[in-house]
Amino acid sequence: MPPRVDREKCDGCNAQQEPLCEQVCPGDLMALGEDKKAYCRSRRDCWDCMSCTKICPVGAIETRMPYQLGYHVAKLIPMMGTDSITWTCIDINGNVERFRYKNRIEPE
Amino acid sequence: MEKVVPKIGLFLCVQGGRLSRTIDVNAMAGKFAKAKNVVRCEVVNDVWDPPFLDSIKKDVESSNIDRIMWVGRFTQHQIKHIEGELAATGLNVYLHEWCDLEEQGIGIEGTDPAVLKRKAESLVQMSLARTRLLVPLAPVELPASDALLIIGAGVAGIHTAATLVGLGKRVHLVEKQSGVGGKVALLSRFYPRLCDPHCGLQFALDKLLRSDLVEFHTLSDVVSLEGGPGNFEARIKKRPRYVNEQRCNACGACTAVCPVDAPASLALTGESSAGPVVSGAIGDLLQPKQKAVHAAIPMAFPSAFVVDRDLCPPGCNECEKKCPAQAVDLNQSEEDQILRVGAVLVTTGWDPYPLSRVSEFGYQRYPRIISNLEMEQLLGADRLGLGSHPELSSADLKEIGFVQCAGSRDERHLPYCSSVCCSVTLKQAVHLKETNPETNCYVFYIDVRSPGFDEDLYRRARNLGVVFNRELPSRVISNPVTGKLELQVIDPALNAPMEVNLDLLVLAGGMTPAQGTSDIAQVLNLPQNSYGFFESHYQCHPEESQRTGIYVAGCAREPMKVSHAIESGHLAAMKALSFLEGSILIEPTYPVVDKAKCDQCKRCMESCPFSSFVFDEKGFPIPDLARCRQCGNCMGLCPLNAVSLGHNTIKQMAAKVGAINPSFMGDKEPTVLAFLCQNDAYKAAREAVDKGLPVPPNVILIKVPCAGSVNNALVADALSNGIDGVLVGGCQDGQCHYVKGNQLVQKRSADLGDKLKSMMIDPSRVRFATLEIRDASKYVDLMQSYIAELRVMGPNPFKI
């Protein structure tokens, strides 16, 4: 399921030429609309990698779980720490699971 | 980069403080002696004990330890001295970590000792984690110019320039008019001494003339400003004077042959068009004629004449032919010049509010209604040589009225008080009465605002018989037969309407920012307030604009009297001096952008309150160190954690957050991490502990340069580490030292709250709160209620 952009929250990265989600998307699927809000221009090509969701500085992008993994309304939400990602997975029954991953340690 | 294995000296300094009463310091020392990277760990009774200091120095010199972590309670004064003492042996001052346990509430008796022990250990772990990441830093020295650019050669600009020249600094004075002196040169007299303003101006100008450090650029405008503090590059455009300044000897032969007889400029009125023609002598005075070639205005300085080519009849070159010194050159053209300066002082001053907009008082509709600035001209006439007019003091000008607050303190016009108009009117009435006691003066007012010693002027006016009427006229008309003005006004003493017939009505209009202020604002990238004056931190740093190295003084900042304008110019120059020393020393706590992480999203550039960021050659944002005020808002908002302040890097902060033991309060009680702004909120928290207020032990605080420097990633770190609540404490709205750090972090906290909500976590686990510097008891109340709320929410789901 492609990313959904909360148009209230999205600030189009202050009308920069390329918002962060556009820069980071491996399939180059995100773009800025005429209203200066980001949108996914080819929804069927999205791989659900969640790069855009993770990078959005205002938390405006949400990725729904693909149906193969969880039925509609199941959600997977990342919260980015300085060197970790904390995932919250909510399935269709409302069960919540949380995991924390440490990111790769970068070489100094 | 070579990996440095830190060698930490850890010293627990009890110094008779409260620490040893509540925790077992020796046991702690024993425990941390075995901690990673700690090579020496001791309990110290007296830091100033010479054998102890000597032993540290020896360890530092022999490289046994390369950084020191101090646990205890230290004042800023002590920190400075200890750091200085050890710097002599080669230990960089940025290799000290100060872990104050008492400000965290460890010294408060009555708390469960087990909790205190766990909390103290957690705090030491936090500081230890940061100590490992400390790096030596050195201040950066940047080259700087030693010249100051002053825009506007009015009274503030001239006096400030004279002082600076006395200090041996170079000054460029840029003035858009042909002469200097600004509005003050147009005044007849100063209050309270009623002396001639030209005297003071000339005094300063004489000083400037004797110096070769000053350069005057008249008829010039600043058209662009590049670079940063210490190294500004201003481009000025100099309009042609058509007279060679070196050759002209101001003999006036040109003016004598000039055929033009045009009305003088409207600078006195602030209007865009002229009003009705006033007949008679007053008319000649108020609407003087002007030749195309004339002496520089407002003050004939530089002494060279100037040709106003807009007034010249086509093809006329009489002046060029007649000039005995061959100084007139009608073929001069515009010139560009680049000025290299260390700082900029804006003293662009004010212009009168166009009184025709205050239509109820009939300005420009009827003759004999003039502004207070025109009245100055009238009063000065006898000294300006224009006043061979006996009418001035005769029966023709016997009844004179003054309307105060004409357009001021009025939502439709100027909502503010221009602060000088009342005293100006008092001065004018006193002057009129003293030169001609037959004159009757009436002042119609809302309030007479004569602050300080100006009250003497008010008393003097009263004693001289000036009539004060606390009601503005409801109607002003001009009687076409008698030519007199008829005013209808309520007499509040009798509560009855009365009619006053006047020969002249003076409207005390207010001050507005000078024409062209918004152009300058654009060129200098300076914010203006809602009235159009330049924005400043009006109370603590009135001279500072929101651009480092650019200062604003005089009426360009807010309406003020002459003495205040001069003072403000000097204050600004005092601050500007640090950029005029030939070099600037920058503390190494400036932000650094990690180019490996940065993806050039430019958020830091846009949100920097001081527009400090510029692009480097590869398009990465880098801070202009001279402009940067090191608030860390760039670090707080970077979505990729790529920006770090020196000595307060995001890694150091994350290490501290990661080292917190989230269960130090036990299983049931919530724990709170508070990021507090060091300017206000942190001081309030510290005062709460010092005063012995019941500060809950649940809180661990981290001091930050500005609430805006707290990155959401750190808050996320804390939450996923199991901390139950994270509070960011900043200044109240409009009080942030860095303009908007508090607003930026408030918005981010709200965004994170929304994310938490979708994660099925109570969004109020993240909170932004405002605290003032002495809000100690408010801080305690805030924490207690927050902890009570957290108790209801239950433990953070990430808590293990």
Side-chain angles (χ1 to χ4, degrees), chain A residues 9 11-14 16 20 23 53 55-59 62 75 77-84 86-88 90 94 96 98-100 106 108, chain B residues 1 3 597 599-603 606 639-641 650-651 654 712-714 716-717 719-721 747 751-752 754-756 758-761 797-798:
Chain A
K9 276 201 170 164
D11 60 359
C13 287
N14 297 324
Q16 287 299 333
L20 281 169
Q23 280 189 39
T53 311
I55 204 158
C56 180
V58 294
E62 185 185 290
K75 282 197 289 190
I77 305 144
M79 178 170 74
M80 306 296 290
T82 50
D83 63 348
S84 65
T86 307
W87 295 94
T88 301
I90 305 168
V96 182
R98 304 183 195 274
F99 345 78
R100 183 177 183 202
E106 314 146 31
E108 280 294 315
Chain B
M1 210 169 97
K3 186 99 179 158
K597 280 187 179 176
D599 69 352
Q600 309 180 346
C601 77
K602 304 183 196 72
R603 274 183 190 256
E606 274 163 23
L640 297 168
N641 312 324
I650 193 126
K651 273 196 181 150
N712 263 357
L714 290 171
D717 272 357
L719 289 172
S720 59
N721 184 23
K747 162 85 175 44
D751 284 342
L752 187 62
D754 289 346
K755 173 160 274 182
L756 290 180
S758 69
M759 290 165 65
M760 314 269 275
I761 293 178
F798 290 110

Coordinates of all heavy atoms in Angstrom, one line a residue, chain A residues 9 11-14 16 20 23 53 55-59 62 75 77-84 86-88 90 94 96 98-100 106 108, chain B residues 1 3 597 599-603 606 639-641 650-651 654 712-714 716-717 719-721 747 751-752 754-756 758-761 797-798:
Chain A
K9 N -0.5 18.4 7.4 CA 0.8 18.5 8.0 C 1.9 18.7 7.0 O 2.9 19.4 7.4 CB 1.1 17.1 8.7 CG 0.5 17.1 10.1 CD 1.2 16.0 10.8 CE 0.8 16.0 12.3 NZ 1.2 14.8 12.9
D11 N 4.4 20.2 4.8 CA 4.7 21.6 4.4 C 5.6 21.6 3.1 O 6.2 22.6 2.8 CB 5.5 22.3 5.6 CG 6.8 21.6 5.9 OD1 7.1 20.6 5.3 OD2 7.4 22.1 6.9
G12 N 5.6 20.5 2.4 CA 6.3 20.5 1.1 C 7.8 20.8 1.3 O 8.4 21.3 0.4
C13 N 8.3 20.5 2.5 CA 9.6 20.9 2.9 C 9.9 22.4 2.5 O 10.9 22.7 1.9 CB 10.7 20.0 2.3 SG 10.7 18.4 3.1
N14 N 8.9 23.2 2.8 CA 9.0 24.7 2.5 C 9.3 25.0 1.1 O 10.1 25.8 0.8 CB 10.1 25.3 3.4 CG 9.8 25.2 4.9 OD1 8.6 25.2 5.2 ND2 10.7 24.9 5.7
Q16 N 10.9 23.6 -1.2 CA 12.2 23.3 -1.8 C 12.0 22.6 -3.2 O 10.9 22.0 -3.4 CB 13.0 22.4 -0.9 CG 13.6 23.1 0.3 CD 14.4 24.3 0.0 OE1 15.1 24.3 -1.1 NE2 14.5 25.3 0.8
L20 N 12.2 16.1 1.0 CA 13.0 15.0 1.5 C 12.4 13.7 1.0 O 13.2 12.8 0.6 CB 13.0 15.0 3.0 CG 14.0 16.0 3.6 CD1 13.8 16.1 5.1 CD2 15.4 15.6 3.4
Q23 N 13.6 13.0 -2.4 CA 15.0 12.7 -2.5 C 15.3 11.3 -2.1 O 16.1 10.6 -2.7 CB 15.8 13.6 -1.6 CG 16.1 15.0 -2.1 CD 17.0 15.7 -1.2 OE1 18.0 15.1 -0.6 NE2 16.8 17.0 -1.0
T53 N 8.3 7.6 4.9 CA 7.6 7.7 6.2 C 8.7 8.0 7.3 O 8.4 8.8 8.2 CB 6.9 6.4 6.5 OG1 6.2 6.0 5.3 CG2 6.1 6.5 7.7
I55 N 11.6 9.4 6.9 CA 12.4 10.6 6.8 C 11.6 11.9 7.0 O 12.1 12.9 7.4 CB 13.1 10.7 5.4 CG1 14.4 11.6 5.6 CG2 12.3 11.2 4.3 CD1 15.4 11.4 4.6
C56 N 10.3 11.8 6.8 CA 9.4 13.0 6.9 C 9.6 13.7 8.2 O 9.3 13.2 9.3 CB 8.0 12.7 6.7 SG 7.0 14.2 6.7
P57 N 10.1 15.0 8.2 CA 10.5 15.6 9.4 C 9.2 16.1 10.2 O 9.3 16.4 11.4 CB 11.3 16.8 9.0 CG 11.1 17.0 7.6 CD 10.5 15.7 7.0
V58 N 8.1 16.2 9.6 CA 6.9 16.6 10.3 C 5.9 15.4 10.6 O 4.9 15.6 11.1 CB 6.1 17.8 9.6 CG1 7.0 19.0 9.6 CG2 5.8 17.4 8.2
G59 N 6.3 14.2 10.2 CA 5.5 13.1 10.4 C 4.2 13.1 9.6 O 3.2 12.7 10.2
E62 N 2.2 8.4 6.1 CA 1.9 7.1 6.8 C 1.9 6.0 5.7 O 1.5 6.3 4.6 CB 0.5 7.3 7.4 CG 0.0 6.2 8.2 CD -1.5 6.4 8.6 OE1 -1.7 7.3 9.4 OE2 -2.3 5.7 8.1
K75 N -1.3 -1.3 10.8 CA -0.3 -0.1 10.6 C 1.1 -0.5 11.1 O 1.2 -1.3 12.1 CB -0.8 1.1 11.3 CG -1.9 1.8 10.6 CD -2.1 3.2 11.2 CE -2.7 3.3 12.6 NZ -3.1 4.6 13.0
I77 N 4.4 1.7 12.2 CA 4.8 3.1 12.4 C 6.2 3.2 12.9 O 6.5 2.7 14.0 CB 3.9 3.9 13.4 CG1 2.4 3.7 12.9 CG2 4.2 5.3 13.5 CD1 1.5 3.6 14.0
P78 N 7.1 3.9 12.2 CA 8.5 4.0 12.7 C 8.6 5.3 13.5 O 8.0 6.3 13.1 CB 9.3 4.1 11.4 CG 8.4 4.7 10.4 CD 7.0 4.4 10.8
M79 N 9.5 5.3 14.5 CA 9.8 6.5 15.2 C 11.4 6.6 15.2 O 12.0 5.6 15.6 CB 9.3 6.5 16.6 CG 9.7 7.8 17.4 SD 8.8 7.9 19.0 CE 9.6 6.7 19.9
M80 N 11.9 7.6 14.6 CA 13.4 7.7 14.4 C 14.1 8.3 15.6 O 13.8 9.4 16.0 CB 13.7 8.5 13.2 CG 13.0 8.1 11.9 SD 13.4 6.4 11.4 CE 15.1 6.8 10.8
G81 N 15.0 7.5 16.2 CA 15.9 8.1 17.2 C 17.2 8.5 16.6 O 17.3 8.5 15.3
T82 N 18.2 8.8 17.4 CA 19.4 9.3 16.8 C 20.1 8.1 16.1 O 20.7 8.3 15.1 CB 20.3 9.9 17.9 OG1 20.4 9.0 19.0 CG2 19.8 11.2 18.3
D83 N 20.1 6.9 16.8 CA 20.8 5.8 16.2 C 20.0 4.5 16.3 O 20.4 3.4 16.3 CB 22.2 5.6 16.8 CG 22.0 5.2 18.3 OD1 20.9 5.4 18.8 OD2 23.0 4.8 18.9
S84 N 18.6 4.7 16.3 CA 17.8 3.6 16.4 C 16.4 3.9 15.7 O 16.1 5.1 15.5 CB 17.5 3.2 17.8 OG 16.8 4.2 18.5
T86 N 12.4 2.8 16.3 CA 11.4 2.1 17.1 C 10.1 1.9 16.3 O 9.5 2.8 15.8 CB 11.1 3.0 18.3 OG1 12.3 3.3 18.9 CG2 10.2 2.2 19.3
W87 N 9.8 0.6 16.1 CA 8.6 0.3 15.3 C 7.5 0.0 16.1 O 7.6 -0.7 17.2 CB 8.9 -0.9 14.4 CG 10.0 -0.7 13.4 CD1 11.3 -0.9 13.5 CD2 9.8 -0.1 12.1 NE1 12.0 -0.6 12.3 CE2 11.1 -0.1 11.4 CE3 8.7 0.4 11.4 CZ2 11.3 0.4 10.2 CZ3 8.9 0.8 10.1 CH2 10.2 0.9 9.5
T88 N 6.3 0.4 15.7 CA 5.1 0.0 16.4 C 4.2 -0.6 15.3 O 3.9 0.0 14.3 CB 4.3 1.2 17.0 OG1 5.2 1.8 17.9 CG2 3.1 0.8 17.7
I90 N 0.6 -2.4 14.5 CA -0.8 -2.5 15.1 C -1.6 -3.4 14.0 O -1.7 -3.0 12.9 CB -1.5 -1.2 15.3 CG1 -0.6 -0.3 16.2 CG2 -2.9 -1.4 15.9 CD1 -1.0 1.1 16.2
G94 N -6.1 -4.8 16.6 CA -5.7 -3.8 17.5 C -4.6 -4.3 18.4 O -4.3 -3.6 19.4
V96 N -1.0 -4.6 19.6 CA 0.2 -3.8 19.4 C 1.5 -4.5 19.7 O 1.6 -5.2 20.7 CB 0.1 -2.5 20.3 CG1 1.3 -1.6 20.0 CG2 -1.2 -1.8 20.1
R98 N 5.8 -3.9 19.6 CA 6.8 -2.8 19.4 C 8.2 -3.4 19.4 O 8.5 -4.3 20.1 CB 6.7 -1.8 20.6 CG 5.3 -1.2 20.8 CD 5.3 -0.2 21.9 NE 4.0 0.1 22.3 CZ 3.2 1.0 21.7 NH1 3.6 1.7 20.7 NH2 2.0 1.2 22.2
F99 N 9.0 -2.9 18.5 CA 10.4 -3.4 18.5 C 11.3 -2.2 18.3 O 10.9 -1.2 17.7 CB 10.7 -4.3 17.3 CG 9.5 -4.9 16.6 CD1 8.8 -4.1 15.7 CD2 9.2 -6.2 16.8 CE1 7.8 -4.6 15.0 CE2 8.1 -6.7 16.1 CZ 7.4 -5.9 15.2
R100 N 12.5 -2.4 18.8 CA 13.5 -1.3 18.6 C 14.7 -1.9 18.0 O 15.2 -2.9 18.4 CB 13.8 -0.7 20.0 CG 14.8 0.4 19.9 CD 15.1 0.9 21.3 NE 15.9 2.1 21.2 CZ 16.7 2.6 22.2 NH1 16.6 2.0 23.4 NH2 17.4 3.6 22.0
E106 N 27.9 3.5 12.4 CA 28.7 4.1 11.3 C 30.2 4.2 11.7 O 30.5 4.4 12.8 CB 28.3 5.5 11.0 CG 26.8 5.7 10.9 CD 26.4 7.1 11.4 OE1 27.2 8.0 11.2 OE2 25.3 7.2 11.9
E108 N 33.6 5.8 12.3 CA 34.0 7.1 12.7 C 34.8 7.8 11.6 O 35.7 7.2 11.1 CB 34.7 7.1 14.0 CG 33.8 6.9 15.2 CD 32.9 8.2 15.4 OE1 33.4 9.3 15.3 OE2 31.7 8.0 15.7
Chain B
M1 N 40.2 8.9 10.8 CA 40.6 9.5 12.0 C 41.0 8.5 13.0 O 40.4 7.4 13.1 CB 39.4 10.3 12.6 CG 39.8 11.5 13.4 SD 38.4 12.5 13.8 CE 38.0 12.0 15.4
K3 N 41.4 6.5 16.2 CA 40.4 6.3 17.4 C 41.2 6.6 18.7 O 42.2 6.0 19.0 CB 40.0 4.8 17.3 CG 38.9 4.5 18.3 CD 37.5 4.5 17.7 CE 36.5 4.1 18.7 NZ 35.2 4.6 18.3
K597 N 26.1 13.1 6.2 CA 24.7 12.8 6.5 C 23.8 13.8 5.8 O 22.7 13.5 5.5 CB 24.5 12.9 8.0 CG 24.9 11.7 8.8 CD 24.5 12.0 10.2 CE 24.8 10.8 11.1 NZ 24.4 11.1 12.5
D599 N 21.6 16.0 3.5 CA 21.2 15.8 2.1 C 20.6 17.2 1.5 O 19.8 17.2 0.7 CB 20.2 14.7 2.0 CG 18.9 15.0 2.6 OD1 18.8 16.1 3.3 OD2 17.9 14.3 2.5
Q600 N 21.1 18.2 2.1 CA 20.8 19.6 1.6 C 19.4 19.9 1.5 O 18.9 20.5 0.6 CB 21.5 19.7 0.2 CG 22.9 19.3 0.1 CD 23.5 19.4 -1.2 OE1 22.8 19.6 -2.2 NE2 24.8 19.3 -1.3
C601 N 18.6 19.5 2.6 CA 17.2 19.9 2.5 C 17.0 21.3 2.9 O 15.9 21.9 2.6 CB 16.4 19.0 3.5 SG 16.6 19.4 5.2
K602 N 17.9 22.0 3.4 CA 17.9 23.5 3.7 C 17.0 23.9 4.8 O 16.7 25.1 4.9 CB 17.6 24.2 2.4 CG 18.5 23.9 1.2 CD 18.2 24.8 0.0 CE 18.8 24.2 -1.2 NZ 18.1 23.0 -1.7
R603 N 16.5 22.9 5.6 CA 15.6 23.4 6.7 C 16.4 24.2 7.7 O 15.8 25.2 8.2 CB 15.1 22.1 7.4 CG 13.8 21.6 6.7 CD 13.2 20.5 7.4 NE 12.2 20.0 6.5 CZ 10.9 20.3 6.7 NH1 10.4 20.9 7.7 NH2 10.0 19.8 5.8
E606 N 16.5 27.8 6.3 CA 15.3 28.5 6.4 C 14.9 28.9 7.8 O 14.3 29.9 8.1 CB 14.2 27.7 5.8 CG 14.1 27.9 4.3 CD 13.3 26.9 3.6 OE1 12.5 26.3 4.3 OE2 13.5 26.7 2.4
P639 N 16.4 17.0 10.2 CA 15.7 15.7 10.2 C 16.6 14.5 10.1 O 16.2 13.4 10.4 CB 14.8 15.8 8.9 CG 15.1 17.1 8.2 CD 16.2 17.8 9.0
L640 N 17.9 14.8 9.8 CA 18.9 13.7 9.7 C 19.9 13.7 10.7 O 20.9 13.0 10.6 CB 19.5 13.8 8.3 CG 18.5 13.6 7.1 CD1 19.2 14.0 5.8 CD2 18.0 12.2 7.1
N641 N 19.8 14.6 11.7 CA 20.7 14.7 12.8 C 22.1 15.0 12.3 O 23.1 14.5 12.8 CB 20.8 13.4 13.7 CG 19.5 12.9 14.1 OD1 18.6 13.8 14.3 ND2 19.3 11.6 14.2
I650 N 25.0 16.2 18.9 CA 23.9 15.4 19.0 C 24.3 14.0 19.5 O 23.5 13.4 20.3 CB 23.1 15.3 17.7 CG1 21.7 14.7 17.9 CG2 23.8 14.6 16.6 CD1 20.6 15.6 17.4
K651 N 25.5 13.6 19.2 CA 25.9 12.3 19.7 C 26.2 12.3 21.2 O 25.8 11.4 21.9 CB 27.2 11.9 19.0 CG 27.0 11.2 17.7 CD 28.3 10.5 17.3 CE 28.0 9.8 15.9 NZ 29.2 9.7 15.1
A654 N 22.8 12.3 22.7 CA 22.2 11.0 22.6 C 22.8 10.0 23.6 O 22.1 9.2 24.2 CB 22.3 10.5 21.2
N712 N 13.9 16.1 17.8 CA 12.9 15.1 18.1 C 13.5 13.7 18.2 O 13.0 12.8 18.9 CB 11.8 15.1 16.9 CG 10.6 15.9 17.3 OD1 10.6 16.4 18.4 ND2 9.7 16.0 16.4
A713 N 14.6 13.5 17.5 CA 15.3 12.1 17.6 C 15.7 11.9 19.1 O 15.6 10.7 19.5 CB 16.5 12.1 16.7
L714 N 16.1 12.9 19.8 CA 16.5 12.7 21.2 C 15.3 12.4 22.0 O 15.4 11.5 22.9 CB 17.2 14.0 21.7 CG 18.5 14.3 21.1 CD1 19.0 15.7 21.5 CD2 19.6 13.3 21.5
A716 N 12.6 10.9 20.9 CA 12.3 9.6 20.5 C 13.2 8.6 21.2 O 12.8 7.5 21.7 CB 12.4 9.4 19.0
D717 N 14.5 8.9 21.3 CA 15.5 8.1 22.0 C 15.0 7.8 23.4 O 15.0 6.7 24.0 CB 16.9 8.8 22.0 CG 17.7 8.4 20.8 OD1 17.2 7.6 20.0 OD2 18.8 9.0 20.7
L719 N 12.1 8.2 24.8 CA 10.9 7.4 24.9 C 11.1 5.9 24.7 O 10.7 5.0 25.4 CB 9.8 7.9 24.0 CG 9.2 9.3 24.3 CD1 8.3 9.8 23.2 CD2 8.4 9.2 25.6
S720 N 11.9 5.6 23.6 CA 12.1 4.2 23.3 C 13.1 3.6 24.3 O 13.2 2.4 24.5 CB 12.6 4.0 21.9 OG 13.8 4.7 21.7
N721 N 13.8 4.5 25.1 CA 14.7 4.0 26.1 C 13.8 3.6 27.4 O 14.3 3.0 28.3 CB 15.7 5.0 26.5 CG 16.7 4.6 27.5 OD1 16.9 3.4 27.7 ND2 17.3 5.5 28.2
K747 N 6.2 23.3 17.9 CA 5.5 22.7 16.7 C 6.0 21.2 16.5 O 5.3 20.3 16.3 CB 5.9 23.5 15.5 CG 5.8 22.9 14.1 CD 4.3 23.1 13.7 CE 4.1 22.6 12.2 NZ 4.7 21.3 11.9
D751 N 4.0 17.7 16.6 CA 4.1 16.6 15.5 C 4.4 15.3 16.1 O 3.8 14.3 15.7 CB 5.2 17.0 14.5 CG 4.7 18.1 13.6 OD1 3.5 18.4 13.5 OD2 5.6 18.8 12.9
L752 N 5.4 15.3 17.0 CA 5.7 14.0 17.6 C 4.6 13.4 18.4 O 4.3 12.2 18.4 CB 7.0 14.2 18.5 CG 7.6 12.9 19.0 CD1 8.1 12.0 17.9 CD2 8.8 13.2 19.9
D754 N 1.5 13.7 17.7 CA 0.5 13.1 16.8 C 1.0 11.7 16.4 O 0.3 10.7 16.3 CB 0.4 13.9 15.5 CG -0.4 15.2 15.8 OD1 -1.0 15.2 16.9 OD2 -0.3 16.1 15.0
K755 N 2.3 11.6 16.2 CA 2.9 10.3 15.8 C 2.7 9.3 17.0 O 2.3 8.1 16.7 CB 4.4 10.4 15.5 CG 5.1 9.1 15.3 CD 6.4 9.2 14.6 CE 6.1 9.2 13.1 NZ 7.3 9.3 12.3
L756 N 2.9 9.8 18.2 CA 2.7 8.9 19.4 C 1.3 8.4 19.4 O 1.0 7.2 19.7 CB 3.1 9.6 20.7 CG 4.5 9.9 20.9 CD1 4.7 10.6 22.2 CD2 5.4 8.6 20.9
S758 N -0.7 7.8 17.0 CA -1.0 6.8 16.0 C -0.2 5.5 16.5 O -0.6 4.4 16.1 CB -0.5 7.2 14.6 OG 0.9 7.3 14.6
M759 N 0.8 5.7 17.3 CA 1.5 4.5 17.9 C 0.8 3.9 19.1 O 1.3 3.1 19.8 CB 2.9 4.9 18.2 CG 3.8 5.1 17.1 SD 5.3 6.0 17.6 CE 6.1 4.7 18.6
M760 N -0.4 4.4 19.4 CA -1.2 4.0 20.6 C -0.4 4.4 21.9 O -0.4 3.6 22.8 CB -1.5 2.5 20.6 CG -2.0 2.1 19.2 SD -3.8 2.1 19.1 CE -4.3 0.6 19.9
I761 N 0.2 5.5 21.9 CA 0.9 6.0 23.1 C 0.3 7.3 23.4 O 0.1 8.1 22.4 CB 2.4 6.1 22.9 CG1 3.0 4.7 22.7 CG2 3.1 6.8 24.0 CD1 4.5 4.7 22.4
P797 N 5.1 2.0 27.4 CA 5.1 0.6 26.9 C 6.5 0.1 26.5 O 6.8 -1.1 26.4 CB 4.3 0.7 25.6 CG 3.7 2.1 25.5 CD 4.2 2.9 26.7
F798 N 7.5 1.1 26.3 CA 8.8 0.6 25.9 C 9.7 0.3 27.1 O 10.8 -0.2 27.0 CB 9.5 1.7 25.1 CG 9.0 1.9 23.7 CD1 8.2 3.0 23.4 CD2 9.1 0.9 22.8 CE1 7.7 3.2 22.2 CE2 8.6 1.1 21.5 CZ 7.9 2.2 21.2

